[in-house]
Amino acid sequence: MAAGPGPSGSAHPPGPAPAAPPLLIACALGIEQLALRSGRRRHAGVASGPVTVLRTGMGPENAQRAVARALEGGELRGAAVVASGFCAGLEPGMHPGDLVVADETRGPGGSTPCTDTELLVKALERAVPGRTVHTGPLVGSDHVVRGQERSQLRGTGAVAVDMESAATLRSALSTGVRSRPVAAVRVVVDAPEHELVRIGTVRGGISAFRVLRSVLPALFEWHRSLLLPRR
């Protein structure tokens, strides 16, 4: 015999909403971690679940190892993963402080598609108004890219290059949950017409730091969207 409504005649209330998966934001440098953590403190009430900002160290090998260790067990096992920090722009006309949202990352192990790129672009346009947001392939390198090599990478269709994003996302999808959401959001710190020698010593580096500090609301909005039904 089926159970009827409660004493008041109303249906039973729905259960609690599903919890958001944790969010792991991976970056390489201490200055990137500082920017992201300060942004997290400013926007702490906006996050929909636990947020960890992981400093991996420079280079693809360090990124791969650090992300794999973080995701192997415990509370981060099912985390969504975002690779973030600074990058080198490849397209003429890019400026320090421009944003790059990868639709895929490319590395020696192949390409990794990113999750809900269009949503992330729109969220960044709201979070950091007035900043140009570029979308396209983000290619990985094991060294700093300058001059002619930058032009060669642009010829492959990539819009930007960094050392850790491709390794970060590939490691995320090969550790534990293969269907986990992944994304890469980078801030241009140098570009073909604006090459830097050291981050933080010139205006371009300071501009990139301030923009990176402001991207957290967009990352949190992307994170919240993971709870919505998928079509």
Side-chain angles (χ1 to χ4, degrees), residues 27 29-39 41 53 209 213:
C27 60
L29 303 176
I31 192 170
E32 295 169 333
Q33 186 182 48
L34 176 62
L36 291 163
R37 281 185 169 174
S38 64
R41 288 193 295 270
V53 179
F209 179 90
R213 189 174 57 186

Side-chain angles (χ1 to χ4, degrees), residues 8-195:
S8 65
S10 61
H12 293 292
L23 174 61
L24 176 65
I25 304 172
C27 60
L29 303 176
I31 192 170
E32 295 169 333
Q33 186 182 48
L34 176 62
L36 291 163
R37 281 185 169 174
S38 64
R40 184 181 64 176
R41 288 193 295 270
R42 292 170 61 194
H43 303 287
V46 185
S48 57
V51 179
T52 299
V53 179
L54 173 70
R55 180 183 175 186
T56 65
M58 283 185 65
E61 292 184 359
N62 284 330
Q64 187 278 327
R65 284 194 295 265
V67 171
R69 282 196 302 266
L71 297 176
E72 278 173 352
E75 64 179 24
L76 291 178
R77 179 173 174 79
V81 175
V82 177
S84 195
F86 303 128
C87 69
L90 298 177
E91 295 186 331
M94 281 184 159
H95 298 277
D98 283 3
L99 288 147
V100 172
V101 178
D103 56 15
E104 67 175 14
T105 58
R106 298 175 180 175
S111 63
T112 302
C114 295
T115 307
D116 285 348
T117 297
E118 185 177 345
L119 185 150
L120 197 43
V121 169
K122 291 178 179 177
L124 283 165
E125 289 172 344
R126 289 189 290 270
V128 197
R131 291 290 178 177
T132 302
V133 183
H134 305 267
T135 309
L138 178 60
V139 66
S141 174
D142 61 1
H143 58 277
V144 176
V145 173
R146 299 194 184 280
Q148 183 61 30
E149 189 176 5
R150 194 193 294 257
S151 300
Q152 292 170 350
L153 289 176
R154 180 180 169 236
T156 69
V159 298
V161 57
D162 79 287
M163 296 173 67
E164 295 84 24
S165 291
T168 292
L169 300 198
R170 195 153 189 85
S171 180
L173 292 181
S174 62
T175 305
V177 183
R178 292 184 178 275
S179 60
R180 78 172 76 247
V182 294
V185 175
R186 294 275 172 176
V187 180
V188 174
V189 74
D190 73 339
E193 294 92 355
H194 304 274
E195 287 196 344

